[in-house]
Amino acid sequence: NAGVTQTPKFRVLKTGQSMTLLCAQDMNHEYMYWYRQDPGMGLRLIHYSVGEGTTAKGEVPDGYNVSRLKKQNFLLGLESAAPSQTSVYFCASSLFRVPTGELFFGEGSRLTVL
Amino acid sequence: AQRVTQPEKLLSVFKGAPVELKCNYSYSGSPELFWYVQYSRQRLQLLLRHISRESIKGFTADLNKGETSFHLKKPFAQEEDSAMYYCALSGSGGGATNKLIFGTGTLLAVQP
């Protein structure tokens, strides 16, 4: 049972390039989330989804887009990467809505924008 | 706006000493508080939630609505407790529905 899997785990981009982070979960969870983790700032919610075909903005959505075309996948896109988006990105999923549901996290994806 | 404050970036204690990781929150709705933990080279995972009122790995946390606090405590620290601890908030109403808002985290280092 893989749980939550993030791809890729590491990536280096140049300013202005685009990329997509893929999050896949095999637990049939309804809810999925993207967070970024920065030193001294903890985890901040970027976007989240309450079900297939839905997305919603979190605390820091600017510069990111997301899609949830399939229940098991939640994609995070950067259309034009900026150095301020250098971070570690975490995906999470939960069976029930927060606060009832426990969040299960992926291993993280480290992104560096030069 | 909802906010979680963890005032200590680093807490260093000796093995066997008591531990208290501080967490304060501001939230206009009905809060639910959690502690998540990230051990070295492991995934972030749930440690405990206030509504369960349980002790996990010797840790307890009591929600104090008057002081808007949810401090994490353990009477005798162990080296394996060394990790990054995040306090998190959710609830109904007040803008945190369906979301988990994290604090900045406290790194607990337990010295032998």
Side-chain angles (χ1 to χ4, degrees):
Chain A
N1 191 341
V4 178
T5 303
Q6 294 180 225
T7 312
K9 290 185 170 48
F10 301 93
R11 184 74 188 269
V12 178
L13 288 177
K14 293 181 179 179
T15 298
Q17 287 185 318
S18 63
M19 75 158 296
T20 300
L21 293 173
L22 169 64
C23 177
Q25 51 94 4
D26 61 2
M27 298 174 283
N28 201 34
H29 284 178
E30 203 67 40
Y31 302 85
M32 297 187 75
Y33 315 82
W34 275 108
Y35 286 88
R36 60 178 288 174
Q37 182 185 47
D38 301 291
M41 305 195 76
L43 283 91
R44 292 179 293 169
L45 182 63
I46 305 171
H47 286 280
Y48 64 101
S49 169
V50 300
E52 181 179 313
T54 75
T55 63
K57 293 180 180 180
E59 302 170 86
V60 288
D62 294 342
Y64 305 95
N65 56 75
V66 287
S67 64
R68 184 101 181 268
L69 298 179
K70 293 183 178 180
K71 185 177 183 179
Q72 63 268 32
N73 295 337
F74 195 28
L75 279 64
L76 178 70
L78 286 72
E79 290 187 347
S80 180
S84 61
Q85 294 178 303
T86 293
S87 187
V88 180
Y89 292 86
F90 286 95
C91 178
S93 70
S94 63
L95 179 60
F96 302 111
R97 57 174 280 192
V98 177
T100 304
E102 172 184 350
L103 263 62
F104 291 86
F105 282 84
E107 294 180 300
S109 297
R110 184 175 294 276
L111 174 65
T112 301
V113 183
L114 302 175
Chain B
Q2 57 276 8
R3 177 173 291 181
V4 178
T5 302
Q6 294 180 252
E8 303 140 328
K9 289 186 178 180
L10 171 67
L11 182 63
S12 182
V13 301
F14 287 103
K15 177 182 174 181
V19 171
E20 182 178 67
L21 299 168
K22 291 184 168 49
C23 172
N24 289 90
Y25 68 91
S26 62
Y27 185 53
S28 57
S30 179
E32 304 240 7
L33 276 296
F34 306 81
W35 279 97
Y36 276 75
V37 60
Q38 189 173 27
Y39 300 101
S40 178
R41 291 184 290 279
Q42 293 189 28
R43 303 182 186 211
L44 192 61
Q45 59 188 283
L46 177 66
L47 179 63
L48 56 79
R49 62 180 78 197
H50 91 270
I51 199 168
S52 300
R53 301 186 66 81
E54 57 193 346
S55 174
I56 304 293
K57 299 185 178 183
F59 284 98
T60 59
D62 291 319
L63 178 61
N64 186 324
K65 291 188 177 181
E67 296 183 357
T68 60
S69 68
F70 188 57
H71 303 328
L72 184 67
K73 300 178 183 180
K74 185 170 183 177
F76 307 104
Q78 302 299 315
E79 289 182 68
E80 54 266 30
D81 296 329
S82 296
M84 179 69 85
Y85 291 81
Y86 290 97
C87 183
L89 163 75
S90 184
S92 54
T97 306
N98 286 331
K99 306 175 195 174
L100 199 57
I101 306 299
F102 285 86
T104 52
T106 298
L107 180 61
L108 174 63
V110 182
Q111 310 296 331

